[in-house]
């Protein structure tokens, strides 16, 4: 019935929950970068029993795909996470790890071959489980206090053009005029309300967590400037996205 449209090699991970999920419970697609100094180290870790982490799929730099945990089983990729009313998204998601050194070891562009494979794999999974575009997320969206992946080099806008994830349709010229423009305290409060409406967790304590949330939003939706400052551009983007379901 649903046959995967690309070649996939197998390298099973022992790290998964052994109960079988019904396909109707799979509602989210979560993207990660591996954030390790080498691709082979990342593969080793995700398949090593003592690491307690895994992912359903792994996309190598050359675009080839490894299946590590079969879809009916819960892989351990997201950890403590929160989106809308959902907590611990591992239960209801498919995790895809994309090889990239990440912010810690030298964040690099994702390769064209990786993105090509990612699009094919995502389209297949979205169709198979009827995943909503607004439920295709990055690790940093659902765990912004701890995570930065897949980061600001991840091509979210391009994926939205392929009908995979959400994006806004505000033109760049308009956005550029609003960039770095100050906002009032009232608008600041509005900005956070829009974020919670989009799905980000409202459970934030103190300044540091607040700035992590702002950065996470920027890495996802305002990739041209990651600076923890809320400006008119951020406000308009958040407002526009808050209306998308
Ligand atoms: Zn991750």
């Amino acid at each position: 019935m649903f046959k995967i449209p690309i070649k996939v090699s197998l390298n099973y991970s022992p790290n998964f929950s052994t109960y079988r999920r019904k396909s109707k419970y799979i509602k989210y697609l979560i993207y990660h970068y591996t954030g390790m100094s080498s691709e082979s180290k990342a593969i080793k870790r995700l398949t090593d029993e003592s690491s307690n982490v895994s992912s359903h799929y792994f996309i190598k730099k050359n675009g080839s795909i490894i299946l590590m945990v079969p879809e009916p089983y819960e892989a351990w990729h997201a950890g403590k996470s929160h989106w809308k009313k959902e907590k611990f998204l591992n239960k209801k998601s498919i995790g895809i790890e994309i090889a990239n050194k990440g912010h810690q070891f030298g964040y690099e562009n994702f390769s064209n071959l990786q993105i090509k494979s990612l699009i094919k794999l995502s389209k297949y999974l979205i169709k198979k489980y009827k995943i909503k575009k607004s439920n295709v997320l990055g690790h940093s969206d659902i765990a912004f206090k701890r995570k930065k992946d897949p980061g600001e080099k991840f091509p979210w806008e391009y994926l939205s053009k392929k009908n995979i994830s959400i994006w806004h349709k505000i033109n760049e010229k308009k956005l550029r005029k609003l960039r770095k423009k100050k906002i009032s305290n009232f608008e600041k409060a509005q900005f956070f309300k829009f974020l919670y409406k989009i799905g980000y967790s409202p459970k934030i304590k103190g300044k540091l967590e607040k700035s992590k949330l702002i950065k996470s939003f920027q890495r996802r939706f305002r990739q041209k400037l990651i600076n923890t400052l809320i400006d008119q551009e951020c406000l308009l983007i958040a407002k526009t996205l808050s209306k998308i379901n």
Side-chain angles (χ1 to χ4, degrees), residues 27-31 77 92-96 121-123 125-126 131 135-138 156 164:
K27 290 186 174 148
Y28 294 89
L29 199 55
I30 310 294
Y31 298 141
H77 55 96
K92 296 189 174 177
S93 65
I94 303 270
I96 302 177
L121 179 61
S122 300
K123 282 191 172 245
L125 294 167
I126 287 167
I131 295 170
N135 283 352
V136 177
L137 303 167
W156 284 110
I164 287 172

PDB file of all heavy atoms in Angstrom, residues 27-31 77 92-96 121-123 125-126 131 135-138 156 164:
ATOM      1  N   LYS A  27       1.031  11.693  14.620  1.00  0.00           N
ATOM      2  CA  LYS A  27       0.500  12.991  14.182  1.00  0.00           C
ATOM      3  C   LYS A  27       1.569  14.038  13.914  1.00  0.00           C
ATOM      4  O   LYS A  27       1.269  15.119  13.445  1.00  0.00           O
ATOM      5  CB  LYS A  27      -0.427  13.542  15.266  1.00  0.00           C
ATOM      6  CG  LYS A  27      -1.710  12.756  15.382  1.00  0.00           C
ATOM      7  CD  LYS A  27      -2.639  13.425  16.357  1.00  0.00           C
ATOM      8  CE  LYS A  27      -3.975  12.716  16.347  1.00  0.00           C
ATOM      9  NZ  LYS A  27      -4.630  12.752  17.632  1.00  0.00           N
ATOM     10  N   TYR A  28       2.789  13.758  14.288  1.00  0.00           N
ATOM     11  CA  TYR A  28       3.846  14.764  14.168  1.00  0.00           C
ATOM     12  C   TYR A  28       5.065  14.214  13.439  1.00  0.00           C
ATOM     13  O   TYR A  28       5.388  13.029  13.541  1.00  0.00           O
ATOM     14  CB  TYR A  28       4.301  15.227  15.554  1.00  0.00           C
ATOM     15  CG  TYR A  28       3.243  15.977  16.321  1.00  0.00           C
ATOM     16  CD1 TYR A  28       2.341  15.292  17.131  1.00  0.00           C
ATOM     17  CD2 TYR A  28       3.140  17.353  16.228  1.00  0.00           C
ATOM     18  CE1 TYR A  28       1.357  15.974  17.835  1.00  0.00           C
ATOM     19  CE2 TYR A  28       2.166  18.046  16.920  1.00  0.00           C
ATOM     20  CZ  TYR A  28       1.280  17.358  17.726  1.00  0.00           C
ATOM     21  OH  TYR A  28       0.317  18.042  18.413  1.00  0.00           O
ATOM     22  N   LEU A  29       5.723  15.142  12.758  1.00  0.00           N
ATOM     23  CA  LEU A  29       6.999  14.826  12.131  1.00  0.00           C
ATOM     24  C   LEU A  29       8.003  15.796  12.758  1.00  0.00           C
ATOM     25  O   LEU A  29       7.778  17.010  12.752  1.00  0.00           O
ATOM     26  CB  LEU A  29       6.848  15.091  10.625  1.00  0.00           C
ATOM     27  CG  LEU A  29       7.829  14.466   9.662  1.00  0.00           C
ATOM     28  CD1 LEU A  29       7.872  12.961   9.856  1.00  0.00           C
ATOM     29  CD2 LEU A  29       7.376  14.754   8.224  1.00  0.00           C
ATOM     30  N   ILE A  30       9.065  15.253  13.347  1.00  0.00           N
ATOM     31  CA  ILE A  30      10.028  16.115  14.046  1.00  0.00           C
ATOM     32  C   ILE A  30      11.410  16.000  13.386  1.00  0.00           C
ATOM     33  O   ILE A  30      11.961  14.907  13.262  1.00  0.00           O
ATOM     34  CB  ILE A  30      10.160  15.720  15.541  1.00  0.00           C
ATOM     35  CG1 ILE A  30       8.785  15.598  16.225  1.00  0.00           C
ATOM     36  CG2 ILE A  30      11.065  16.718  16.287  1.00  0.00           C
ATOM     37  CD1 ILE A  30       7.997  16.864  16.364  1.00  0.00           C
ATOM     38  N   TYR A  31      11.947  17.161  12.999  1.00  0.00           N
ATOM     39  CA  TYR A  31      13.270  17.201  12.368  1.00  0.00           C
ATOM     40  C   TYR A  31      14.352  17.577  13.383  1.00  0.00           C
ATOM     41  O   TYR A  31      14.147  18.442  14.232  1.00  0.00           O
ATOM     42  CB  TYR A  31      13.299  18.255  11.260  1.00  0.00           C
ATOM     43  CG  TYR A  31      12.345  17.993  10.121  1.00  0.00           C
ATOM     44  CD1 TYR A  31      11.659  19.058   9.530  1.00  0.00           C
ATOM     45  CD2 TYR A  31      12.154  16.713   9.610  1.00  0.00           C
ATOM     46  CE1 TYR A  31      10.797  18.844   8.468  1.00  0.00           C
ATOM     47  CE2 TYR A  31      11.292  16.494   8.547  1.00  0.00           C
ATOM     48  CZ  TYR A  31      10.609  17.562   7.979  1.00  0.00           C
ATOM     49  OH  TYR A  31       9.762  17.360   6.938  1.00  0.00           O
ATOM     50  N   HIS A  77      13.731  10.363  20.429  1.00  0.00           N
ATOM     51  CA  HIS A  77      14.450  11.463  19.774  1.00  0.00           C
ATOM     52  C   HIS A  77      14.167  12.831  20.380  1.00  0.00           C
ATOM     53  O   HIS A  77      15.007  13.712  20.331  1.00  0.00           O
ATOM     54  CB  HIS A  77      14.115  11.487  18.271  1.00  0.00           C
ATOM     55  CG  HIS A  77      12.651  11.554  17.978  1.00  0.00           C
ATOM     56  ND1 HIS A  77      12.019  12.744  17.731  1.00  0.00           N
ATOM     57  CD2 HIS A  77      11.688  10.597  17.917  1.00  0.00           C
ATOM     58  CE1 HIS A  77      10.725  12.507  17.516  1.00  0.00           C
ATOM     59  NE2 HIS A  77      10.497  11.220  17.631  1.00  0.00           N
ATOM     60  N   LYS A  92       3.843  10.278  19.762  1.00  0.00           N
ATOM     61  CA  LYS A  92       2.978  10.542  18.616  1.00  0.00           C
ATOM     62  C   LYS A  92       3.725  11.026  17.383  1.00  0.00           C
ATOM     63  O   LYS A  92       3.124  11.607  16.482  1.00  0.00           O
ATOM     64  CB  LYS A  92       1.934  11.602  19.008  1.00  0.00           C
ATOM     65  CG  LYS A  92       1.012  11.112  20.110  1.00  0.00           C
ATOM     66  CD  LYS A  92      -0.113  12.064  20.324  1.00  0.00           C
ATOM     67  CE  LYS A  92      -1.098  11.489  21.336  1.00  0.00           C
ATOM     68  NZ  LYS A  92      -2.169  12.402  21.643  1.00  0.00           N
ATOM     69  N   SER A  93       5.018  10.782  17.356  1.00  0.00           N
ATOM     70  CA  SER A  93       5.766  11.368  16.236  1.00  0.00           C
ATOM     71  C   SER A  93       6.715  10.397  15.557  1.00  0.00           C
ATOM     72  O   SER A  93       7.025   9.327  16.067  1.00  0.00           O
ATOM     73  CB  SER A  93       6.565  12.571  16.738  1.00  0.00           C
ATOM     74  OG  SER A  93       7.551  12.149  17.660  1.00  0.00           O
ATOM     75  N   ILE A  94       7.148  10.829  14.385  1.00  0.00           N
ATOM     76  CA  ILE A  94       8.243  10.177  13.673  1.00  0.00           C
ATOM     77  C   ILE A  94       9.409  11.154  13.727  1.00  0.00           C
ATOM     78  O   ILE A  94       9.251  12.340  13.444  1.00  0.00           O
ATOM     79  CB  ILE A  94       7.880   9.947  12.185  1.00  0.00           C
ATOM     80  CG1 ILE A  94       6.599   9.118  12.042  1.00  0.00           C
ATOM     81  CG2 ILE A  94       9.054   9.357  11.415  1.00  0.00           C
ATOM     82  CD1 ILE A  94       6.777   7.635  11.987  1.00  0.00           C
ATOM     83  N   GLY A  95      10.567  10.662  14.112  1.00  0.00           N
ATOM     84  CA  GLY A  95      11.753  11.518  14.220  1.00  0.00           C
ATOM     85  C   GLY A  95      12.713  11.279  13.071  1.00  0.00           C
ATOM     86  O   GLY A  95      12.980  10.138  12.698  1.00  0.00           O
ATOM     87  N   ILE A  96      13.207  12.377  12.516  1.00  0.00           N
ATOM     88  CA  ILE A  96      14.192  12.283  11.433  1.00  0.00           C
ATOM     89  C   ILE A  96      15.446  13.056  11.833  1.00  0.00           C
ATOM     90  O   ILE A  96      15.391  14.248  12.111  1.00  0.00           O
ATOM     91  CB  ILE A  96      13.625  12.855  10.111  1.00  0.00           C
ATOM     92  CG1 ILE A  96      12.346  12.105   9.714  1.00  0.00           C
ATOM     93  CG2 ILE A  96      14.679  12.776   8.994  1.00  0.00           C
ATOM     94  CD1 ILE A  96      11.664  12.651   8.465  1.00  0.00           C
ATOM     95  N   LEU A 121      11.054  11.683   1.698  1.00  0.00           N
ATOM     96  CA  LEU A 121      10.683  10.925   2.894  1.00  0.00           C
ATOM     97  C   LEU A 121       9.514  11.608   3.619  1.00  0.00           C
ATOM     98  O   LEU A 121       8.554  10.942   4.032  1.00  0.00           O
ATOM     99  CB  LEU A 121      11.896  10.811   3.825  1.00  0.00           C
ATOM    100  CG  LEU A 121      11.707  10.072   5.151  1.00  0.00           C
ATOM    101  CD1 LEU A 121      11.301   8.611   4.916  1.00  0.00           C
ATOM    102  CD2 LEU A 121      13.004  10.118   5.984  1.00  0.00           C
ATOM    103  N   SER A 122       9.581  12.918   3.749  1.00  0.00           N
ATOM    104  CA  SER A 122       8.518  13.648   4.452  1.00  0.00           C
ATOM    105  C   SER A 122       7.192  13.514   3.722  1.00  0.00           C
ATOM    106  O   SER A 122       6.151  13.276   4.343  1.00  0.00           O
ATOM    107  CB  SER A 122       8.879  15.133   4.580  1.00  0.00           C
ATOM    108  OG  SER A 122      10.071  15.287   5.303  1.00  0.00           O
ATOM    109  N   LYS A 123       7.223  13.671   2.418  1.00  0.00           N
ATOM    110  CA  LYS A 123       5.978  13.577   1.636  1.00  0.00           C
ATOM    111  C   LYS A 123       5.326  12.207   1.813  1.00  0.00           C
ATOM    112  O   LYS A 123       4.115  12.091   1.940  1.00  0.00           O
ATOM    113  CB  LYS A 123       6.249  13.855   0.156  1.00  0.00           C
ATOM    114  CG  LYS A 123       6.401  15.330  -0.118  1.00  0.00           C
ATOM    115  CD  LYS A 123       6.405  15.627  -1.603  1.00  0.00           C
ATOM    116  CE  LYS A 123       6.371  17.130  -1.805  1.00  0.00           C
ATOM    117  NZ  LYS A 123       5.213  17.642  -2.434  1.00  0.00           N
ATOM    118  N   LEU A 125       5.682  10.179   4.407  1.00  0.00           N
ATOM    119  CA  LEU A 125       5.157  10.025   5.770  1.00  0.00           C
ATOM    120  C   LEU A 125       3.895  10.870   5.995  1.00  0.00           C
ATOM    121  O   LEU A 125       2.949  10.438   6.652  1.00  0.00           O
ATOM    122  CB  LEU A 125       6.232  10.408   6.803  1.00  0.00           C
ATOM    123  CG  LEU A 125       7.460   9.489   6.848  1.00  0.00           C
ATOM    124  CD1 LEU A 125       8.591  10.128   7.647  1.00  0.00           C
ATOM    125  CD2 LEU A 125       7.087   8.122   7.441  1.00  0.00           C
ATOM    126  N   ILE A 126       3.890  12.069   5.433  1.00  0.00           N
ATOM    127  CA  ILE A 126       2.743  12.968   5.584  1.00  0.00           C
ATOM    128  C   ILE A 126       1.495  12.337   4.973  1.00  0.00           C
ATOM    129  O   ILE A 126       0.410  12.362   5.546  1.00  0.00           O
ATOM    130  CB  ILE A 126       3.059  14.339   4.934  1.00  0.00           C
ATOM    131  CG1 ILE A 126       4.048  15.105   5.818  1.00  0.00           C
ATOM    132  CG2 ILE A 126       1.801  15.152   4.688  1.00  0.00           C
ATOM    133  CD1 ILE A 126       4.684  16.319   5.155  1.00  0.00           C
ATOM    134  N   ILE A 131      -0.429  13.618   8.204  1.00  0.00           N
ATOM    135  CA  ILE A 131       0.132  14.599   9.142  1.00  0.00           C
ATOM    136  C   ILE A 131      -0.151  16.014   8.641  1.00  0.00           C
ATOM    137  O   ILE A 131       0.050  16.319   7.468  1.00  0.00           O
ATOM    138  CB  ILE A 131       1.654  14.363   9.309  1.00  0.00           C
ATOM    139  CG1 ILE A 131       1.891  12.995   9.978  1.00  0.00           C
ATOM    140  CG2 ILE A 131       2.316  15.482  10.115  1.00  0.00           C
ATOM    141  CD1 ILE A 131       3.327  12.524   9.982  1.00  0.00           C
ATOM    142  N   ASN A 135       1.900  20.421  11.934  1.00  0.00           N
ATOM    143  CA  ASN A 135       2.496  19.447  12.857  1.00  0.00           C
ATOM    144  C   ASN A 135       3.849  18.931  12.381  1.00  0.00           C
ATOM    145  O   ASN A 135       4.360  17.942  12.898  1.00  0.00           O
ATOM    146  CB  ASN A 135       1.552  18.262  13.075  1.00  0.00           C
ATOM    147  CG  ASN A 135       0.407  18.611  14.013  1.00  0.00           C
ATOM    148  OD1 ASN A 135       0.403  19.673  14.612  1.00  0.00           O
ATOM    149  ND2 ASN A 135      -0.547  17.708  14.131  1.00  0.00           N
ATOM    150  N   VAL A 136       4.394  19.574  11.391  1.00  0.00           N
ATOM    151  CA  VAL A 136       5.755  19.256  10.954  1.00  0.00           C
ATOM    152  C   VAL A 136       6.664  20.288  11.626  1.00  0.00           C
ATOM    153  O   VAL A 136       6.589  21.479  11.342  1.00  0.00           O
ATOM    154  CB  VAL A 136       5.864  19.310   9.410  1.00  0.00           C
ATOM    155  CG1 VAL A 136       7.298  19.046   8.971  1.00  0.00           C
ATOM    156  CG2 VAL A 136       4.906  18.286   8.786  1.00  0.00           C
ATOM    157  N   LEU A 137       7.492  19.802  12.562  1.00  0.00           N
ATOM    158  CA  LEU A 137       8.166  20.719  13.486  1.00  0.00           C
ATOM    159  C   LEU A 137       9.647  20.407  13.644  1.00  0.00           C
ATOM    160  O   LEU A 137      10.111  19.311  13.307  1.00  0.00           O
ATOM    161  CB  LEU A 137       7.505  20.608  14.869  1.00  0.00           C
ATOM    162  CG  LEU A 137       6.000  20.890  14.939  1.00  0.00           C
ATOM    163  CD1 LEU A 137       5.439  20.432  16.278  1.00  0.00           C
ATOM    164  CD2 LEU A 137       5.715  22.360  14.705  1.00  0.00           C
ATOM    165  N   GLY A 138      10.358  21.365  14.211  1.00  0.00           N
ATOM    166  CA  GLY A 138      11.756  21.149  14.559  1.00  0.00           C
ATOM    167  C   GLY A 138      11.870  20.828  16.037  1.00  0.00           C
ATOM    168  O   GLY A 138      10.995  21.199  16.831  1.00  0.00           O
ATOM    169  N   TRP A 156      13.223  25.862   5.968  1.00  0.00           N
ATOM    170  CA  TRP A 156      11.784  25.775   6.251  1.00  0.00           C
ATOM    171  C   TRP A 156      10.928  26.409   5.150  1.00  0.00           C
ATOM    172  O   TRP A 156       9.867  25.894   4.805  1.00  0.00           O
ATOM    173  CB  TRP A 156      11.467  26.458   7.578  1.00  0.00           C
ATOM    174  CG  TRP A 156      11.859  25.674   8.796  1.00  0.00           C
ATOM    175  CD1 TRP A 156      12.874  25.970   9.672  1.00  0.00           C
ATOM    176  CD2 TRP A 156      11.261  24.470   9.296  1.00  0.00           C
ATOM    177  NE1 TRP A 156      12.920  25.027  10.671  1.00  0.00           N
ATOM    178  CE2 TRP A 156      11.955  24.097  10.468  1.00  0.00           C
ATOM    179  CE3 TRP A 156      10.198  23.666   8.854  1.00  0.00           C
ATOM    180  CZ2 TRP A 156      11.620  22.968  11.214  1.00  0.00           C
ATOM    181  CZ3 TRP A 156       9.865  22.535   9.591  1.00  0.00           C
ATOM    182  CH2 TRP A 156      10.564  22.198  10.743  1.00  0.00           C
ATOM    183  N   ILE A 164       5.093  21.037   2.625  1.00  0.00           N
ATOM    184  CA  ILE A 164       5.409  20.141   3.745  1.00  0.00           C
ATOM    185  C   ILE A 164       5.145  20.820   5.092  1.00  0.00           C
ATOM    186  O   ILE A 164       4.600  20.211   6.001  1.00  0.00           O
ATOM    187  CB  ILE A 164       6.878  19.658   3.621  1.00  0.00           C
ATOM    188  CG1 ILE A 164       6.961  18.647   2.465  1.00  0.00           C
ATOM    189  CG2 ILE A 164       7.392  19.048   4.923  1.00  0.00           C
ATOM    190  CD1 ILE A 164       8.353  18.233   2.083  1.00  0.00           C
TER     191      ILE A 164
END
